[in-house]
């Protein structure tokens, strides 16, 4: 058995690791960017439609993603299991993980659906502006039906990615993003003779595209991985794998939910200030989100490569790959910091119509948010990568506790105190997120170092 100090017989150099990460990671990053572009397109086009529509979709997207990404924990749990199976050449394990991942995702989606259908009273109880809450609920009533196909996509993407079939993910997500933009253009503004549906048009476009993407990936799974017969005996339960994914997926989902709900709660707090502040928050969050897709892709790569290294019992490979991934993540974050600091007004302006009378106020508020977002790119990217490394080791429970404490006991209270008692307003909420992310990044780095100091426990 190799360890952290002893290279495996086939040593990969840092350059080799960087090349392998790029080959695996670039399609994943591109796929995540294309997927996020769907939400970004909704925000951009609705921002040009009206500031009130942008505020509503900001609130709706925060609400939807908080519920959706908890369920995505089951798909994230599929990733390390299939990666380990690929490292060991075990097709049966890959099929079992994919099938039960789909079961759990469909079950969760069905349970979550009422929260979208009856979202308006929930949003009102959270202190949101009545008109914004009503408009957001209208969007969610349609888009909520996309949770089951959306979660199914996540499972299939994990199965493909864990076996390094990443190009199909990229191609599919680019195609659906293009379709979404085209349908948005037609339905939001009423172009080419279509009815002008505004916010409802964006919801319909997103639902159509997520459904198309699911069908495409289902067809591709049969053609790209025929030897695994991923949906053979799909109706038959596998309670051992079901329980295994449940035990791993719930902590992973709660970890993701802790972070996403920090952003959701932050949007709610900004919504207490004004609809215009919420619109500015939505723009800054989308800009930060599109750059964060790079780190999500790197996190997926980390999970896959750690899972494969553990399957081969190659600790030296694991550690060197982790160092290269961290260097790449920090380099990407530094680039984002420079862009956000140098061009904040230009970036915010892309989302606001030049004729909008509220443009100066949204610009001024949004710029202050983006400047803070620039600095938390460094820690946000680092904590995402660390989570990916730990998930590859199937370590989920401790990271869940770290995330919950960092985001909810540190970040959220700090944001509230800075925003309201201390009078910093919306930018105080963003400073709170920065504080919470920094605490989590530091704690997860300590956890990773502790686990890798005892490599025998990983095998």
């Amino acid at each position: 058995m190799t360890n952290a100090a002893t290279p495996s017989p086939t040593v990969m150099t840092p350059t080799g690791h960087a090349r392998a990460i790029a080959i695996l990671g670039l399609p994943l990053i591109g796929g995540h960017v294309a997927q996020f572009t769907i939400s970004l397109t909704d925000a951009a086009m609705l921002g040009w439609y009206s500031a009130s529509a942008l505020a509503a979709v900001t609130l709706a997207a925060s609400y939807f993603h908080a519920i959706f990404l908890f369920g995505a924990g089951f798909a994230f749990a599929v990733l390390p299991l299939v990666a380990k199976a690929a490292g060991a050449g075990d097709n049966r394990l890959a099929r079992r993980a994919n099938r039960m991942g789909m079961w759990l995702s469909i079950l969760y989606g069905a349970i979550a659906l009422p929260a979208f259908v009856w979202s308006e009273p929930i949003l009102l109880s959270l202190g949101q502006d009545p008109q914004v809450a009503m408009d957001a609920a209208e969007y969610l009533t349609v888009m909520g039906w996309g949770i089951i196909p959306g979660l199914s996509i996540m499972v299939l993407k994990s199965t493909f990615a864990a076996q390094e079939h990443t190009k199909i993910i990229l191609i599919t997500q680019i195609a659906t993003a293009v379709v979404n933009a085209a349908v948005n253009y037609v339905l939001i503004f009423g172009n080419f003779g279509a009815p002008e549906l505004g916010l409802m048009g964006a919801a319909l476009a997103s639902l159509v595209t997520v459904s198309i993407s699911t069908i495409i990936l289902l067809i591709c799974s049969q053609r790209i991985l025929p030897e695994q017969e991923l949906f053979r005996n799909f109706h038959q339960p596998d309670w051992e794998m079901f329980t295994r994914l449940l035990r791993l997926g719930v902590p992973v989902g709660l970890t993701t939910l802790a972070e996403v709900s920090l952003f959701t709660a932050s949007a709610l707090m900004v919504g207490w200030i004004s609809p215009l502040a919420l619109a500015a928050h939505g723009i800054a969050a989308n800009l930060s989100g599109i750059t964060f897709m790079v780190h999500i892709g790197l996190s997926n790569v980390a999970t896959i490569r750690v899972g494969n290294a553990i399957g081969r019992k190659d600790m030296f490979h694991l550690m060197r790959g982790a160092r290269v991934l961290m260097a790449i993540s920090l380099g990407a974050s530094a680039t984002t910091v420079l862009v956000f600091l140098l061009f904040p007004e230009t970036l915010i302006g892309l989302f606001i119509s030049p004729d909008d009378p509220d443009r100066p106020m949204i610009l001024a508020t949004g710029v202050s948010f983006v400047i803070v977002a620039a600095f938390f790119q460094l820690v946000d990217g680092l904590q995402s990568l660390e989570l990916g490394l730990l998930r590859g080791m199937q370590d989920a429970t401790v990271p869940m506790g770290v995330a919950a404490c960092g985001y909810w006991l540190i970040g959220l209270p700090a944001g509230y105190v800075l925003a309201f008692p201390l009078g910093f307003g919306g930018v105080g909420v963003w400073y709170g997120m920065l504080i919470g992310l920094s605490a989590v990044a530091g704690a997860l780095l300590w956890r990773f170092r502790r686990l890798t100091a005892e490599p025998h426990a990983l095998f």
Side-chain angles (χ1 to χ4, degrees), residues 59-74 76 104-105 107-120 122-123 126 140-141 143-148 150-151 154 249-250 252-254 256-265:
L59 182 61
S62 297
Y63 183 95
F64 180 87
H65 287 128
I67 296 173
F68 177 86
L69 287 174
F70 173 72
F74 303 119
F76 294 143
L104 283 162
S105 296
L107 178 62
Y108 173 82
I111 294 171
L113 187 57
F116 299 115
V117 176
W118 292 289
S119 58
E120 184 175 359
I122 298 173
L123 294 172
L126 295 171
L140 289 166
T141 299
M143 187 55 201
W145 291 94
I147 189 169
I148 292 177
L151 291 174
M154 296 293 288
V250 168
V252 170
L254 287 172
T256 306
L257 179 63
E259 179 179 3
V260 173
S261 60
L262 171 68
F263 287 86
T264 302

Side-chain angles (χ1 to χ4, degrees), residues 91-92 95 163 165 221-230 232:
N91 283 338
R92 182 171 177 271
R95 179 171 63 249
Q163 300 174 82
H165 293 291
S221 70
Q222 301 304 300
R223 296 187 176 183
I224 295 174
L225 299 169
E227 73 283 356
Q228 294 185 3
E229 300 178 290
L230 291 177
R232 188 182 74 182

Side-chain angles (χ1 to χ4, degrees), residues 281-306:
H281 175 89
I283 296 171
N286 274 290
L287 289 171
S288 179
I290 195 71
T291 59
F292 185 62
M293 293 303 103
V294 175
H295 302 289
I296 291 290
L298 291 174
S299 180
N300 293 158
V301 172
T303 300
I304 294 165
R305 291 182 66 77
V306 167

Side-chain angles (χ1 to χ4, degrees), residues 95 98-104 106 229-238:
R95 179 171 63 249
N98 179 83
R99 185 167 82 248
M100 289 300 100
M102 293 288 283
W103 269 46
L104 283 162
I106 293 169
E229 300 178 290
L230 291 177
F231 295 94
R232 188 182 74 182
N233 299 323
F234 184 77
H235 64 286
Q236 293 184 355
D238 180 345

Side-chain angles (χ1 to χ4, degrees), residues 185-265:
Y185 181 72
V186 172
L187 295 182
I188 292 175
F189 301 101
N191 290 311
F192 302 109
E196 182 182 332
L197 299 178
L199 192 67
M200 185 60 73
L204 288 169
S206 296
L207 181 59
V208 167
T209 52
V210 76
S211 300
I212 291 173
S213 182
T214 305
I215 294 169
I216 292 172
L217 284 177
L218 284 170
I219 294 171
C220 290
S221 70
Q222 301 304 300
R223 296 187 176 183
I224 295 174
L225 299 169
E227 73 283 356
Q228 294 185 3
E229 300 178 290
L230 291 177
F231 295 94
R232 188 182 74 182
N233 299 323
F234 184 77
H235 64 286
Q236 293 184 355
D238 180 345
W239 298 121
E240 189 276 332
M241 179 56 69
F242 185 95
T243 303
R244 190 173 176 183
L245 281 172
L246 187 66
R247 288 175 176 171
L248 180 59
V250 168
V252 170
L254 287 172
T255 302
T256 306
L257 179 63
E259 179 179 3
V260 173
S261 60
L262 171 68
F263 287 86
T264 302

Side-chain angles (χ1 to χ4, degrees), residues 203-455:
L204 288 169
S206 296
L207 181 59
V208 167
T209 52
V210 76
S211 300
I212 291 173
S213 182
T214 305
I215 294 169
I216 292 172
L217 284 177
L218 284 170
I219 294 171
C220 290
S221 70
Q222 301 304 300
R223 296 187 176 183
I224 295 174
L225 299 169
E227 73 283 356
Q228 294 185 3
E229 300 178 290
L230 291 177
F231 295 94
R232 188 182 74 182
N233 299 323
F234 184 77
H235 64 286
Q236 293 184 355
D238 180 345
W239 298 121
E240 189 276 332
M241 179 56 69
F242 185 95
T243 303
R244 190 173 176 183
L245 281 172
L246 187 66
R247 288 175 176 171
L248 180 59
V250 168
V252 170
L254 287 172
T255 302
T256 306
L257 179 63
E259 179 179 3
V260 173
S261 60
L262 171 68
F263 287 86
T264 302
S266 297
L268 293 172
M269 286 195 292
V270 174
W272 296 341
I273 297 170
S274 73
L276 291 183
L278 183 58
H281 175 89
I283 296 171
N286 274 290
L287 289 171
S288 179
I290 195 71
T291 59
F292 185 62
M293 293 303 103
V294 175
H295 302 289
I296 291 290
L298 291 174
S299 180
N300 293 158
V301 172
T303 300
I304 294 165
R305 291 182 66 77
V306 167
N308 283 335
I310 290 175
R312 296 192 308 270
K313 300 184 178 181
D314 190 343
M315 192 65 186
F316 185 85
H317 182 85
L318 187 158
M319 290 302 299
R320 176 171 279 181
R323 295 187 190 101
V324 174
L325 278 162
M326 287 185 182
I328 293 172
S329 177
L330 289 172
S333 295
T335 302
T336 302
V337 169
L338 287 175
V339 172
F340 278 19
L341 291 180
L342 292 174
F343 309 107
E345 189 167 330
T346 301
L347 294 171
I348 294 291
L350 295 173
F351 292 78
I352 315 168
S353 170
D355 302 324
D356 193 322
D358 297 315
R359 180 182 173 93
M361 179 64 71
I362 297 174
L363 272 176
T365 306
V367 165
S368 66
F369 293 168
V370 168
I371 290 173
V372 181
F375 289 104
F376 81 57
Q377 291 294 310
L378 291 167
V379 290
D380 200 13
L382 183 58
Q383 64 87 27
S384 177
L385 180 62
E386 291 160 352
L387 283 171
L389 293 168
L390 293 170
R391 285 170 187 163
M393 301 173 187
Q394 298 183 37
D395 179 46
T397 303
V398 171
M400 174 188 68
V402 167
C405 291
Y407 300 139
W408 282 87
L409 298 183
I410 299 175
L412 195 61
Y416 178 83
V417 170
L418 289 168
F420 299 105
L422 296 182
F424 283 88
V427 74
V429 175
W430 281 77
Y431 278 121
M433 290 192 287
L434 172 61
I435 293 168
L437 289 166
S438 300
V440 171
L444 290 178
L445 182 59
W446 173 84
R447 175 67 175 173
F448 175 73
R449 287 178 174 175
R450 181 175 180 181
L451 288 180
T452 52
E454 300 176 358

